[in-house]
């Protein structure tokens, strides 16, 4: 990407804006503005840079995810660890807590850039008028998105629509919620009118008409939680209108949704996923060499090598799962129990619960038999496996190829060994949609997995019949619903947990030279959320039957068998709790939950159900995250501005 040196926002320095990624690093036009930005090249370079926090920080590292999903009913720290306790459990959360401090800076970092693009559009001396209109609309859409993050997490912060070159203000005043939401609605409405259905220059990472409309529905819903109205009409009504229009006319807007939820997470569909309305991807995303490189998956997986007597591959050399050594963010029992696993395939498509090993026969780096693990009497006794299984073999699950031709470096795309076929013949390998998804439940006679986490509580006898380690997920929790901290059976099984695999990608192009990172696109918003917003708004307006219709679209496509819909999944009407539960099943881990609980004022109720440790610390001030310590140190009226009670 070309680089530009940006002027500092009036009350946020360059180092404040992006933390570790200073604005000095970017200089598309080779100057600080002025005449350089009057050219289309310089101006459009500034506009392209407005996307940088999306792929460079927000959706490629753990910080924003910890703020957006931590401290909710859905995710805990594994083994009840004291790590990130500020955001997961509201313990010691302050203005200089890294996660919340960084999000504030990252969100504000590009508002100044967006302002400069919007203000400078009329001064561009060259360039096509249509292109200028579209790129200005993109900047408005992005500005509204960044403001939506700030308002959602930090409350009524300062609305600034002027670029820093127009003056400094070291005594900023907070704006009203009404002013902030009115501006976001204005930006998104104007953006939706001026953006095209197809992205600028064919770059699918750029926002389009469907993006602006999806974000408009989301902003209306979030503002509804603040009790806002527009010309006397509830924001809930406006949210319903926008969401329902996008649903009814989705083809005209270029929006779409998969009919099978497995396709949402199919590795072949990661790049330019048709269900995504807004995508975090690298610059020039249509170029195969550009991806969002993320390490988020390393926080959301347990390390099966903790059971090294049954699982061979160390995390430092695990090409199948990557170097999953952070092992922090684990689903709550409350979230796990929301899935009707035999009928709802979102459980096995979104959570890895069976852990197998890799061979590299295709790559020519080893034999099929090299990964075999024979069950000994000692292993069987230790893990409660029946003596009749002594001598049985656990075989490799996946086989990785080697491809050195990809622009990102060496790649290791994988296929799966067929169950029961122990020939080691690569011609028999099969392609699967998502190598990390295993159909639930795992059969008793499965011999390709070493460790299995069962959602159903199996008896000791049922576990013993299986020639692999079987862990009841319920046994990972104490009586309060927290993860247990130490072994209760003399093994390391307590360190396992179901792994959210939405950020684990395995395809030609997914690998980097660092096993702690994977390349891939992250959906900032997908069409499924529009159905949820429509249901949410209708329910809040008193139309439970209509709400159920929108939820049923998502529930029906998630059914394992056609008969499951009528027998188990169909709703006749939807309560507020039904809506919140469906959000959890569909969007868990997708940077959504904290904002949802805030707008429904549901922390007190749902933390008690899903996150008892957070419930013990939660106070009313926690409906807002603390204002950035760095920001407060840059202004002259910090005491007046306030910290949000921290």
């Amino acid at each position: 990407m070309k680089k530009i040196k940006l002027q500092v926002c009036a009350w946020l320095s360059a180092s404040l804006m992006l933390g570790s990624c200073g604005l000095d690093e970017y200089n598309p036009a080779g100057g600080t503005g002025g005449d350089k930005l009057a050219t289309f090249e310089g101006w459009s370079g500034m506009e392209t840079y407005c996307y940088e926090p999306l792929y460079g920080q927000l959706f490629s590292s753990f910080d924003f995810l910890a703020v957006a999903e931590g401290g909710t009913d859905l995710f805990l720290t594994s083994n009840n660890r004291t790590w990130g306790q500020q955001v997961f459990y509201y313990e010691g959360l302050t203005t200089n807590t890294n996660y919340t401090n960084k999000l504030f800076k990252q969100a504000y970092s590009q508002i100044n850039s967006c302002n400069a693009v919007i203000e400078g559009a009329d001064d561009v001396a060259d360039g096509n008028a249509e292109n200028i209109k579209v790129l200005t609309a993109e900047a408005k859409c992005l500005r509204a998105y960044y403001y939506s993050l700030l308002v959602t997490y930090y409350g009524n912060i300062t609305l600034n629509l002027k670029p820093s070159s127009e003056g400094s203000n070291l005594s900023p005043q907070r704006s009203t919620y009404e002013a902030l939401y009115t501006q976001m609605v204005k930006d998104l409405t104007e953006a939706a009118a001026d953006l095209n259905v197809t992205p600028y220059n064919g770059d699918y990472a750029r926002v389009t008409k469907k993006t602006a409309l999806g974000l408009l529905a989301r902003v209306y819903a979030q503002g509804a939680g603040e009790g806002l109205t527009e010309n006397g009409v509830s924001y809930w009504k406006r949210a319903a209108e926008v969401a329902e229009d996008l649903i009814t006319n989705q083809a005209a807007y270029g929006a779409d949704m998969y009919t099978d939820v497995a396709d949402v997470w199919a590795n072949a569909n990661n790049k330019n996923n048709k269900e995504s309305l807004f995508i975090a991807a690298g610059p020039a995303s249509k170029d195969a060499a550009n991806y969002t490189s993320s390490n988020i998956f390393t926080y959301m997986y347990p390390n099966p090598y903790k059971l090294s007597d049954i699982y061979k591959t160390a995390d430092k050399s695990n090409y199948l799962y990557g170097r999953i050594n952070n092992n922090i963010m684990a689903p709550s029992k409350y979230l796990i129990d929301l899935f009707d696993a035999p009928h709802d395939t979102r459980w096995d498509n979104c959570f890895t619960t069976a852990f197998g090993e890799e061979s590299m026969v295709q790559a020519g780096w080893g034999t099929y038999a090299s990964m075999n693990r024979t069950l000994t009497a000692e292993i069987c006794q230790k893990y409660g496996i029946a003596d009749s299984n002594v001598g049985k073999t656990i075989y490799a699950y996946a086989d990785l190829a080697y491809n050195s031709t990809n622009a990102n470096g060496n790649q290791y795309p994988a296929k799966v060994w067929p169950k029961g076929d122990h020939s080691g013949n690569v011609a028999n390998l099969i392609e699967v949609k998502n190598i990390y998804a295993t159909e639930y439940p795992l059969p008793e006679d499965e011999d390709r997995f070493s460790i299995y986490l069962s959602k159903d509580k199996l008896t000791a006898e049922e576990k013993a019949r299986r020639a692999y380690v079987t862990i009841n997920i319920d046994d990972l929790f104490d009586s309060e619903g927290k993860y247990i901290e130490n072994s209760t059976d003399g093994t390391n099984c307590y360190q396992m947990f179901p792994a959210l695999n939405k950020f684990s990608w395995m395809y030609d192009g997914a690998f980097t030279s660092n096993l702690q990172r994977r390349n891939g696109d992250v959906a900032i918003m997908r069409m499924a959320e529009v159905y949820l917003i429509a249901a949410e708004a209708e329910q809040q307006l008193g139309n439970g039957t209509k709400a159920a219709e929108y939820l049923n679209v998502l529930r029906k496509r998630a059914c394992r068998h056609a008969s499951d819909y009528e027998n188990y999944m169909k709703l006749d009407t939807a309560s507020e709790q039904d809506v919140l539960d469906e959000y959890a099943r569909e969007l868990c881990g997708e940077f959504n939950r904290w904002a949802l609980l805030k707008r429904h004022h549901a922390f007190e109720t749902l933390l008690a159900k899903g996150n008892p440790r957070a419930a013990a610390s939660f106070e009313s001030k926690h409906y807002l995250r603390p204002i950035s310590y760095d920001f407060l140190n840059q202004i002259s009226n910090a005491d007046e501005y306030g910290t949000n009670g921290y």
Side-chain angles (χ1 to χ4, degrees), residues 263-325:
D263 290 324
V264 178
W265 307 110
N267 281 286
N269 295 334
N270 175 265
K271 284 188 68 65
N272 200 14
N273 188 290
K274 76 174 186 178
E275 186 162 317
S276 295
L277 302 178
F278 189 11
I279 298 174
S285 59
K286 60 184 178 179
D287 181 347
N290 288 293
Y291 297 80
T292 296
S293 177
S294 169
N295 72 341
I296 292 174
F297 74 96
T298 69
Y299 292 86
M300 311 193 81
Y301 262 74
N303 184 357
Y305 190 61
K306 296 293 184 180
L307 283 66
S308 58
D309 49 3
I310 191 75
Y311 190 90
K312 279 187 174 184
T313 307
D315 66 292
K316 291 183 179 180
S317 57
N318 196 322
Y319 286 82
L320 177 59
Y321 298 114
R323 190 179 181 192
I324 41 179
N325 61 332

Side-chain angles (χ1 to χ4, degrees), residues 3-116:
K3 297 185 174 182
I4 190 165
K5 200 173 200 177
L6 302 181
Q7 291 182 339
V8 180
C9 187
W11 24 273
L12 291 173
S13 72
S15 61
L16 167 62
M17 289 294 196
L18 274 182
S20 62
C21 296
L23 296 184
D24 288 344
E25 298 173 9
Y26 299 90
N27 189 10
T32 58
D35 293 338
K36 297 280 185 160
L37 292 183
T39 67
F40 182 77
E41 180 184 11
W43 178 82
S44 63
M46 168 86 77
E47 194 278 338
T48 299
Y49 177 62
C50 293
Y51 287 89
E52 198 280 337
L54 303 179
Y55 62 84
Q57 288 285 323
L58 293 174
F59 295 94
S60 61
S61 64
F62 187 64
D63 305 285
F64 178 32
L65 183 67
V67 175
E69 294 285 341
T72 72
D73 53 336
L74 301 189
F75 290 97
L76 314 176
T77 56
S78 63
N79 310 132
N80 197 35
R81 290 162 70 179
T82 300
W83 190 100
Q85 70 270 22
Q86 300 93 338
V87 286
F88 279 93
Y89 303 122
Y90 306 100
E91 296 170 359
L93 182 60
T94 68
T95 58
N96 64 355
T97 295
N98 190 49
Y99 307 106
T100 53
N101 197 22
K102 283 184 70 175
L103 175 60
F104 188 94
K105 294 186 291 184
Q106 290 161 2
Y108 255 129
S109 70
Q110 295 303 0
I111 286 175
N112 186 53
S113 301
C114 294
N115 289 344

Side-chain angles (χ1 to χ4, degrees), residues 33 71 141 161 183 238 294 313-314 345 412 422 424 448 452 473 559 581 611:
C141 185
L161 302 179
Q183 184 60 47
R238 293 294 188 233
S294 169
T313 307
T345 62
Y412 308 92
H422 305 137
R448 299 171 300 168
Y452 171 56
I473 293 174
C559 289
D581 289 349
N611 192 341

Side-chain angles (χ1 to χ4, degrees), residues 624-642:
L624 294 175
R625 300 303 201 177
I627 297 294
S628 162
Y629 172 86
D630 293 325
F631 164 66
L632 294 171
N633 274 348
Q634 299 265 342
I635 62 177
S636 62
N637 62 333
D639 289 342
E640 176 192 3
Y641 203 91

